[in-house]
Amino acid sequence: TSSRICERGADVAVCGGTHGNELSGVYLVRELLKAKDIVMEEEREEPASVLMVLANPRAMQQCRRYVDTDLNRCFTHATLNGPISDSAPYEMTRSRELNAMLGPKGSPGAVDLVCDLHNTTANMGLCLILSLACLFQRQMPDVPMRFIHFDVSSKESYSLDSVGKHGFAMEIGPQPHGVVRSNIYTAMKDGVQHMLDWVRLFNSGTIFEAGFVDVFTIVKNIDYPRDSETHNITATIHPQLQDRDFLLLHPDDALFQTFSGETLRYKGNEPLYPFFVNECAYYEKGIALSLARKNTVAYHNMAFKVHS
Amino acid sequence: NFSPPARFDEARRVAIFGGTHGNEMSGVTLVNLWVKNGSEIQRKMVDTKPFITNPRAVEKCTRYVDTDLNRAFTPENLSALGEGDLPYEVQRAQEINRIFGPKGSPEAYDVIFDLHNTTSNMGCTLILESSKDYFNLQMMNYIKVTALRSNTEYYPRFSCKSVNIVLCDWFIAGLEVGPQPQGVLRSNIFEAMRVILKHALDFIELFNEGVEFPTCTVEVFRVLERIDYPRDANGNIIAMVHPNLQDGDWEPLNPGDPMFLTFDGKTLHYQGSGTIYPTFINEAAYYEKQQAFVTTRRETLVASAIRKA
């Protein structure tokens, strides 16, 4: 379910349950929807242009990542606009519904900002995952967080947050799928609140000054070593790498430990930053960890302009 | 106090079950490894059989396909007719009972280890069905003493279910290692499970060779009750395990201690009459079983000396 109050200034969509077993976002959006019902009943406050969405209700009901296919890969232009049959995967039908609700992607009517809530089993803390088009400042002095940049053009972008004019995923870990950890929930709740506060400030004409921010730009993914016949993994993330997301991995550092105890080492030529180390959902995507470079990025002054 | 040791038959046939829950990866991985090459689990004069109990769930990396296999070994299920129409896990339970049991029959396996992972911070936990089984208690004691001596990272703890909850009649020991997310393989958890099993098999080999194990005391945690999450009228969870309790498995929970935290920040306190030791705190699979954690009390059990018959 979702609710749209009004459009004024930048509007925001907060999405939970895109993966039905990433529970912080599921519970947070449910709570925000409850709170909104109470506000609407009790007083006519200044309406906030915030849309709350539970993106994959069927997967949520089963507490699974997805029913037929990963919803967060169903938002390319081809998937959204191509032909669709009656027997299409559930998530493909759902992505079109979400596109109608929040988009259409690429059109002037699309929501200004999509914030898509996720959890990871990797020890990543709080991360915001952005594509090139929508890097902008946030003010969250108390909360250590990192920015991760995936370089996809907006035509090729496949995730839910690409439906809005701007969008990002808020990824918090470590948390097992199917579990709510109170510290992780609180971090996400605070993160969403800060984001909404920023939008409110923006809508009220605040000028945000130019500045610099460190961004991790993904370079490549590394898969587990696998058995050539069964395709089953033959090693685990090495204990020296496990839980060490965003700590520099140097050439020749330990990467994997085979089941017979042998250490396999990182063979790249440049030191890179690992993240999504041992994310449960990525085993089937052939990703044991991702590697990134850290860059300092400059961003410009920003303010809300009213078109006369 | 000099009573002769209790005599038990040699343990000739040992089974190691993995994948009873298809997304608990340590057991799945170890058993698959040993099915391919079982030299690590061989012991003199013991036939060890590694076995994937729920292959369809393993294939889908899910806890179960139709119903929880680890709750399927009831007398009703084991005698149910209907073959292919039965839920998949009921069929599996019948098949496993055929291959490895039934207890008392000459073909039955002597010892079965059932490998599990948990998202709870339980370290290595051995789960017994009966507190009166001296063979099992002696095995637990041996594992604990040996693990302490070899300085394993995880101190093995033992949990004993109340005598009322008996799921099956075998020499079955559940080995639960956590914390590990479902579907994830962590190297430290994998190694800990492997080491515990090594000690268990060593014990069996020594026992079969005629070693007498003197009387010993074993500290266990006896399961008392299950505590559910607070829920609203629709059955939805309205609070989370409190940060003070989260990851506090095996630490005392006293009356008045924080227990749950509602989504809007209110603390709910433990209202019991005495101190208990909580475990299975925030296990992913237990949300649907209405279980936020389980309470236990500490007990000291005595096992008489044992020796092979």
Side-chain angles (χ1 to χ4, degrees), chain B residues 107-151:
Chain B
E107 299 85 35
Y109 273 64
D110 301 300
V111 185
I112 299 176
F113 299 102
D114 190 19
L115 306 181
H116 289 270
N117 289 119
T118 173
T119 57
S120 306
N121 188 26
M122 288 168 71
C124 293
T125 299
L126 289 143
I127 299 181
L128 308 175
E129 299 293 328
S130 158
S131 61
K132 296 195 171 54
D133 187 316
Y134 295 147
F135 179 88
N136 268 352
L137 284 175
Q138 285 283 1
M139 179 164 61
M140 302 302 136
N141 184 60
Y142 176 86
I143 293 170
K144 173 172 159 179
V145 165
T146 317
L148 277 184
R149 221 183 3 200
S150 65
N151 228 3

Side-chain angles (χ1 to χ4, degrees), chain A residues 219-235:
Chain A
V219 170
K220 61 183 172 188
N221 299 320
I222 300 186
D223 192 8
Y224 291 96
R226 291 177 186 269
D227 180 282
S228 48
E229 279 174 34
T230 63
H231 206 59
N232 290 333
I233 67 173
T234 55

Side-chain angles (χ1 to χ4, degrees), chain B residues 9-255:
Chain B
D9 288 333
E10 275 179 30
R12 286 299 190 125
R13 305 170 87 208
V14 175
I16 302 175
F17 289 171
T20 297
H21 297 133
N23 53 9
E24 295 177 12
M25 302 305 294
S26 307
V28 170
T29 308
L30 282 171
V31 166
N32 279 335
L33 213 65
W34 291 330
V35 163
K36 236 175 131 177
N37 181 353
S39 50
E40 188 182 333
I41 55 173
Q42 289 318 311
R43 296 292 188 277
K44 285 198 291 284
M45 297 191 307
V46 181
D47 170 20
T48 27
K49 188 180 171 80
F51 188 77
I52 295 284
T53 47
N54 197 338
R56 234 189 257 178
V58 168
E59 199 186 2
K60 293 176 155 198
C61 196
T62 186
R63 182 177 176 84
Y64 56 81
V65 174
D66 294 327
T67 185
D68 193 331
L69 177 58
N70 212 22
R71 305 288 184 277
F73 286 87
T74 62
E76 302 77 39
N77 279 346
L78 292 178
S79 54
L81 302 170
E83 305 236 344
D85 295 328
L86 295 171
Y88 173 71
E89 278 85 6
V90 173
Q91 296 177 43
R92 286 304 298 167
Q94 292 184 351
E95 177 72 4
I96 290 161
N97 193 42
R98 260 194 295 277
I99 300 173
F100 298 96
K103 180 172 168 79
S105 71
E107 299 85 35
Y109 273 64
D110 301 300
V111 185
I112 299 176
F113 299 102
D114 190 19
L115 306 181
H116 289 270
N117 289 119
T118 173
T119 57
S120 306
N121 188 26
M122 288 168 71
C124 293
T125 299
L126 289 143
I127 299 181
L128 308 175
E129 299 293 328
S130 158
S131 61
K132 296 195 171 54
D133 187 316
Y134 295 147
F135 179 88
N136 268 352
L137 284 175
Q138 285 283 1
M139 179 164 61
M140 302 302 136
N141 184 60
Y142 176 86
I143 293 170
K144 173 172 159 179
V145 165
T146 317
L148 277 184
R149 221 183 3 200
S150 65
N151 228 3
T152 345
E153 190 190 314
Y154 288 99
Y155 180 101
R157 286 191 171 86
F158 309 112
S159 165
C160 180
K161 291 189 179 168
S162 162
V163 205
N164 294 330
I165 309 167
V166 178
L167 297 178
C168 67
D169 236 21
W170 299 337
F171 271 122
I172 188 160
L175 170 53
E176 189 89 54
V177 186
Q180 180 170 271
Q182 297 169 342
V184 163
L185 189 67
R186 288 180 68 101
S187 50
N188 58 340
I189 303 284
F190 177 78
E191 286 305 319
M193 187 180 275
R194 198 174 195 170
V195 163
I196 296 291
L197 272 168
K198 175 194 175 309
H199 295 325
L201 292 172
D202 289 345
F203 170 84
I204 291 170
E205 186 177 54
L206 289 168
F207 175 81
N208 287 351
E209 284 174 349
V211 170
E212 176 171 323
F213 293 88
T215 185
C216 68
T217 58
V218 185
E219 186 192 80
V220 303
F221 292 87
R222 185 182 289 274
V223 170
L224 299 173
E225 60 173 330
R226 301 166 159 75
I227 308 285
D228 190 13
Y229 292 95
R231 294 172 188 270
D232 65 16
N234 297 323
N236 295 320
I237 289 174
I238 56 173
M240 312 168 277
V241 171
H242 195 278
N244 286 23
L245 178 57
Q246 178 69 53
D247 299 335
D249 301 67
W250 313 117
E251 301 299 312
L253 183 70
N254 306 301

